[in-house]
Amino acid sequence: MRPRRAVPLDDGQHDRPGLDQLLERVARGDRLSFEQVYDMVAPAAYGVVLRVLRDPAQAEEVTQEVLVEVWRSAARFEAARGSGMSWVMTIAHHRAVDRVRAAQAATDREDRVARLEVRRPYDEVVESVETSLEWERLRRCLYGLTQLQRESVTYAYYGGYTYREVAELLKVPLGTVKTRMRDGLIRMRDCLGVER
């Protein structure tokens, strides 16, 4: 919405109403008077808003909001307190500042949320208890295996030995170690409740 060009107040027709009078008519719902008010104040309001926001697209939006507010609140205008143009420019300035504050508040909110996501509270006690319970469950499952299965699994998974090295350490054939480890791992899986 680009504001329309301002219409000069003195175009040779001295009986044409001024802005203050037009605002009084707008307060009574006169749409034609509002069109004239729009033509008179839109460019100046846009200029005020643009100086604050420095973004033409946002300035157009805010100027539109200003003019809607002028239409809705024209009854609050009091000529005794100042000119109609001053009243409209005050509304324009306040709306522009409100937009800047709203944008800053949104940025601040996003920053706070980002910081919370980065520094999530970490409950060391809960983590420690869960780890302890997992180890206890693992130990219980290991002790549910036969001695050869338990030793084979322990050497291979916790000692880092190969099947051949486990067979040499336990002094049993390689095939036996592979079979015992396979059977032991199946029993461990079932004991720990791991799905296939």
Side-chain angles (χ1 to χ4, degrees):
M1 181 287 325
R2 283 259 179 228
R4 293 188 276 185
R5 274 216 153 123
V7 175
L9 290 178
D10 186 15
D11 59 358
Q13 299 174 356
H14 295 294
D15 58 337
R16 190 168 199 184
L19 181 58
D20 294 1
Q21 292 170 320
L22 288 170
L23 285 170
E24 289 173 11
R25 292 179 187 174
V26 170
R28 293 190 298 267
D30 185 343
R31 290 179 188 262
L32 291 173
S33 293
F34 179 71
E35 287 180 19
Q36 291 176 354
V37 167
Y38 184 102
D39 289 338
M40 288 178 180
V41 302
Y46 176 78
V48 166
V49 172
L50 183 61
R51 274 194 307 275
V52 174
L53 297 178
R54 294 190 168 104
D55 176 1
Q58 281 196 38
E60 288 178 11
E61 265 182 53
V62 173
T63 301
Q64 195 68 277
E65 293 170 10
V66 168
L67 293 165
V68 168
E69 187 171 341
V70 167
W71 169 255
R72 289 181 180 160
S73 63
R76 290 188 304 197
F77 168 66
E78 296 176 30
R81 297 182 71 189
S83 72
M85 187 60 83
S86 295
W87 181 71
V88 173
M89 293 309 108
T90 301
I91 293 172
H93 185 263
H94 286 293
R95 281 286 180 147
V97 169
D98 287 347
R99 177 67 65 99
V100 169
R101 286 180 180 154
Q104 185 60 50
T107 301
D108 292 348
R109 248 188 329 274
E110 290 170 5
D111 288 347
R112 279 193 306 273
V113 168
R115 275 183 293 207
L116 286 174
E117 288 175 359
V118 170
R119 289 187 275 141
R120 290 207 171 189
Y122 178 73
D123 192 340
E124 293 177 21
V125 174
V126 169
E127 184 70 25
S128 174
V129 168
E130 286 176 353
T131 302
S132 177
L133 289 173
E134 287 173 10
W135 278 107
E136 183 56 40
R137 203 165 140 213
L138 183 61
R139 263 190 295 256
R140 191 181 65 242
C141 290
L142 268 173
Y143 284 102
L145 303 177
T146 66
Q147 182 175 349
L148 185 58
Q149 288 172 336
R150 183 175 52 251
E151 288 175 339
S152 299
V153 169
T154 303
Y155 281 135
Y157 285 92
Y158 297 106
Y161 293 102
T162 64
Y163 288 124
R164 187 171 308 287
E165 292 170 331
V166 171
E168 289 172 10
L169 286 169
L170 297 177
K171 300 186 182 356
V172 292
L174 179 61
T176 303
V177 167
K178 288 182 178 181
T179 302
R180 296 301 177 254
M181 282 184 64
R182 188 194 75 230
D183 293 345
L185 290 174
I186 290 171
R187 287 181 68 186
M188 289 284 293
R189 181 194 66 207
D190 294 343
C191 178
L192 292 170
V194 177
E195 294 186 22
R196 296 179 191 182

